[in-house]
């Protein structure tokens, strides 16, 4: 039986990475030791991890204790073998163990078989082992099964470490996201006032020095004002995107859908060139009004801006079932190319180069809409025919549901034009 030269510092570092030593029993591990005991016909089965100065028993079937001194551990020898399993048929006849307190004492550990638990880095963390109070051997089937069970223990170890790493990553991402929101908020607010001053100053220059400027000079001022407005809209979009996290399903008001939609129409459709059809019947719903308002601002605003027809037309529909409010925004605008339709809800994704007024979008609005719909417990989808128009379908959950089953609805259907 060949002996492995172990780098104990690296091995111990690997053991520490799983954060298992000292933890309470878990059924997933106890199930394995129970099966190992049954398969091998032994009264004792253990899952061990060799710590600095102790042998910690993550699962202990058949013994009342959960740790023992490392210097008397059979597993210390087992992890030093190159072989897939370490077997001591009769410890009383082995010079390494015959005087061991585990052999001579009340545990009466006469037979031992241990499979090293080796991680992906090649470090033996501990063993899956079985003991008996009398000499014996294992047949080929028992040996292969014990080795297979040990592999499953290592898989459980790896899943735990991956979960630990994922939680640490999630915590780090949440912290970074919080800092990013704070940064975006501070920068955006700090930039809006200078932009407002630039826009106001541009108007003053045009009014006061109009007669002194040639056509190109006036064009420069118009370009400066237009660019300032675009940047201001961009900043507002970023603020709305990050602030949308604060608009959730828990914040509910009872309100009239017609009142909400008419308010949005008055804000967007200044020249009333676009015909907007609201739902025929009026409804009082209970939902987050601010979130729904922002959703319609974005969807109706896009339908108005990206419409090349002589008679622009938008239809808003409403239905409801036991669980969801369902809305559609249907337009006869420019439509969305099929190769871009899957990306329109991604942040900073831009479909059309310019709207009908010649302004370039910033790719923030629909990403914000998707976040808001998800916050309302719903889902959004789109169907579109390029050159004919688009239909955005989205839902909002009517009532809160328990956390363990909460989440966006599973309906991905969309109405086709």
């Amino acid at each position: 039986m060949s002996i492995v030269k172990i780098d104990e510092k690296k091995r111990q570092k690997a053991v520490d990475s799983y954060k298992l030593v000292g933890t309470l029993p878990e059924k997933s591990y106890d199930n394995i030791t129970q099966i190992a005991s049954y398969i091998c016909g032994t009264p004792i089965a253990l899952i061990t991890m060799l710590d600095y100065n102790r042998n910690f028993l993550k699962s202990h079937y058949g013994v009342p204790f959960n740790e023992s001194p490392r210097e008397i551990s059979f597993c210390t020898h087992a992890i030093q073998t190159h072989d897939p399993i370490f077997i001591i048929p009769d410890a009383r006849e082995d010079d390494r163990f015959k005087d061991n307190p585990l052999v001579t004492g009340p545990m009466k550990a006469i037979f031992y078989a241990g499979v090293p638990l080796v991680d992906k880095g090649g470090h033996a963390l501990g063993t899956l082992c079985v003991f008996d109070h009398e000499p014996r051997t294992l047949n080929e089937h028992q040996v292969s099964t014990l080795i297979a069970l040990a592999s499953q223990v290592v898989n459980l170890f790896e899943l735990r470490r991956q979960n630990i790493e994922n939680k640490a990553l999630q915590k780090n991402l949440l912290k970074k996201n919080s800092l990013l929101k704070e940064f975006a908020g501070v920068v955006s607010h700090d930039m809006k006032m200078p932009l407002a001053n630039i826009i106001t100053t541009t108007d003053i220059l045009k009014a006061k020095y109009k007669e002194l400027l040639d056509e190109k000079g006036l064009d420069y001022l118009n370009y400066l004002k237009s660019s300032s407005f675009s940047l201001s809209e961009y900043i507002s979009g970023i603020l709305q995107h990050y602030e949308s996290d604060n608009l959730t399903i828990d914040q509910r008001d009872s309100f009239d859908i017609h009142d909400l939609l008419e308010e949005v129409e008055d804000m967007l459709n200044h020249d009333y060139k676009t015909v907007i059809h609201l739902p025929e019947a009026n409804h009082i719903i209970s939902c987050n009004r601010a979130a729904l308002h922002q959703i319609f601002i974005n969807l109706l605003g896009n339908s108005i801006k990206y419409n090349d027809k002589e008679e622009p037309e938008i239809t808003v529909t409403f239905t409801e079932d036991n669980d969801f409010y369902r809305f559609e925004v249907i337009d006869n605008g420019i439509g969305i190319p099929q190769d871009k339709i899957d990306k329109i809800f991604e942040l900073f994704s831009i479909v059309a180069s310019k709207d009908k007024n010649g302004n370039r979008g910033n790719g923030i609005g629909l990403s914000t809409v998707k976040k808001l719909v998800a916050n309302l417990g719903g889902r959004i989808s789109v169907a579109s025919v390029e050159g004919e128009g688009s239909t955005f379908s989205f839902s909002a959950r009517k009532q809160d549901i328990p956390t363990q089953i909460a989440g966006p609805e599973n309906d991905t259907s969309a109405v086709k034009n």
Side-chain angles (χ1 to χ4, degrees):
M1 183 178 290
S2 57
I3 302 299
V4 178
K5 185 177 180 181
I6 294 177
D7 186 328
E8 181 58 23
K9 287 185 178 180
K10 289 183 178 179
R11 192 202 68 81
Q12 187 61 59
K13 184 177 180 181
V15 170
D16 293 340
S17 70
Y18 293 92
K19 301 185 186 301
L20 272 167
V21 174
T23 58
L24 294 173
E26 296 178 53
K27 189 175 181 180
S28 54
Y29 296 100
D30 291 343
N31 286 342
I32 290 178
T33 51
Q34 185 175 357
I35 293 170
S37 172
Y38 175 77
I39 294 294
C40 296
T42 58
I44 300 170
L46 311 173
I47 293 174
T48 74
M49 297 194 81
L50 289 164
D51 198 19
Y52 294 91
N53 56 9
R54 61 173 169 165
N55 188 21
F56 172 70
L57 312 183
K58 178 55 186 172
S59 177
H60 48 99
Y61 183 84
V63 295
F65 52 87
N66 67 354
E67 65 177 68
S68 62
R70 180 170 171 178
E71 61 266 21
I72 64 172
S73 169
F74 281 58
C75 300
T76 297
H77 297 268
I79 67 169
Q80 297 180 56
T81 177
H82 272 299
D83 300 325
I85 189 167
F86 179 77
I87 299 178
I88 305 297
D90 189 340
R92 297 169 302 182
E93 298 179 358
D94 191 307
D95 290 340
R96 295 170 295 180
F97 303 105
K98 62 183 181 181
D99 297 323
N100 191 307
L102 296 176
V103 178
T104 61
M107 183 174 172
K108 200 179 177 183
I110 305 301
F111 169 79
Y112 171 86
V115 179
L117 302 173
V118 182
D119 70 2
K120 292 185 295 185
H123 303 107
L125 311 171
T127 70
L128 170 63
C129 60
V130 293
F131 286 91
D132 205 341
H133 305 308
E134 57 187 31
R136 61 170 302 150
T137 59
L138 297 179
N139 61 41
E140 185 178 340
H141 171 71
Q142 290 169 322
V143 168
S144 61
T145 302
L146 199 61
I147 292 172
L149 289 173
S151 177
Q152 293 307 307
V153 174
V154 175
N155 287 340
L156 287 175
F157 286 177
E158 293 298 335
L159 285 173
R160 175 182 174 83
R161 184 163 66 178
Q162 187 63 53
N163 189 43
I164 291 170
E165 291 174 355
N166 288 342
K167 285 183 177 179
L169 180 61
Q170 182 183 37
K171 184 178 180 180
N172 189 41
L173 287 174
L174 287 172
K175 182 179 180 180
K176 286 185 177 180
N177 192 44
S178 178
L179 291 173
L180 182 60
K181 286 182 182 180
E182 184 178 343
F183 174 78
V186 171
V187 172
S188 299
H189 280 112
D190 288 350
M191 288 180 67
K192 286 184 78 69
M193 183 57 72
L195 281 172
N197 290 338
I198 291 173
I199 293 169
T200 302
T201 303
T202 302
D203 288 335
I204 292 173
L205 287 172
K206 284 178 65 177
K208 192 170 184 179
Y209 300 103
K210 184 177 181 180
E211 302 300 328
L212 301 177
L213 295 171
D214 59 14
E215 185 176 345
K216 183 170 288 188
L218 292 173
D219 286 342
Y220 284 145
L221 287 178
N222 289 333
Y223 178 75
L224 179 62
K225 183 176 180 179
S226 175
S227 298
S228 298
F229 270 122
S230 295
L231 185 54
S232 180
E233 288 179 5
Y234 188 81
I235 292 169
S236 296
I238 291 175
L239 282 173
Q240 289 170 2
H241 182 78
Y242 285 110
E243 289 172 355
S244 65
D245 287 335
N246 299 323
L247 301 176
T248 68
I249 192 174
D250 300 321
Q251 304 159 327
R252 292 183 176 274
D253 300 300
S254 293
F255 57 91
D256 186 316
I257 292 180
H258 269 205
D259 285 348
L260 173 70
L261 291 172
E262 287 170 359
E263 181 180 316
V264 172
E265 183 180 10
D266 288 342
M267 289 180 64
L268 298 174
N269 198 18
H270 301 297
D271 54 12
Y272 293 98
K273 289 182 179 179
T274 302
V275 177
I276 301 179
H277 303 286
L278 303 184
E280 292 184 5
N282 199 9
H283 299 270
I284 303 295
I285 67 172
S286 176
C287 192
N288 186 318
R289 192 182 194 280
L292 204 58
H293 184 273
Q294 188 61 48
I295 290 169
F296 279 115
I297 284 285
N298 281 285
L299 293 181
L300 291 177
N302 284 346
S303 291
I304 291 172
K305 289 188 294 183
Y306 297 100
N307 197 305
D308 56 353
K309 306 299 187 297
E310 292 185 5
E311 297 181 358
E313 192 170 350
I314 301 172
T315 299
V316 180
T317 70
F318 169 82
T319 57
E320 61 181 306
D321 54 34
N322 290 335
D323 298 318
F324 294 94
Y325 300 118
R326 301 183 185 277
F327 302 89
E328 288 182 338
V329 176
I330 307 165
D331 66 52
N332 63 343
I334 63 175
I336 304 166
Q338 290 302 306
D339 62 340
K340 295 183 178 181
I341 204 164
D342 292 334
K343 298 180 179 180
I344 61 171
F345 294 110
E346 295 177 4
L347 188 59
F348 304 127
S349 176
I350 299 173
V351 175
S353 57
K354 293 182 179 180
D355 63 20
K356 65 181 181 182
N357 297 317
N359 299 317
R360 180 178 172 82
N362 51 43
I364 299 175
L366 288 179
S367 175
T368 302
V369 167
K370 185 177 181 179
K371 286 180 65 177
L372 288 169
V373 171
N375 288 350
L376 297 182
R379 194 174 183 90
I380 187 167
S381 59
V382 60
S384 184
V385 176
E386 193 172 2
E388 296 183 15
S390 304
T391 295
F392 285 84
S393 305
F394 71 94
S395 57
R397 185 171 286 280
K398 295 178 72 171
Q399 57 187 2
D400 300 340
I401 56 176
T403 303
Q404 61 267 26
I405 60 172
E409 62 164 317
N410 199 32
D411 177 22
T412 59
S413 62
V415 177
K416 294 182 179 180
N417 284 352

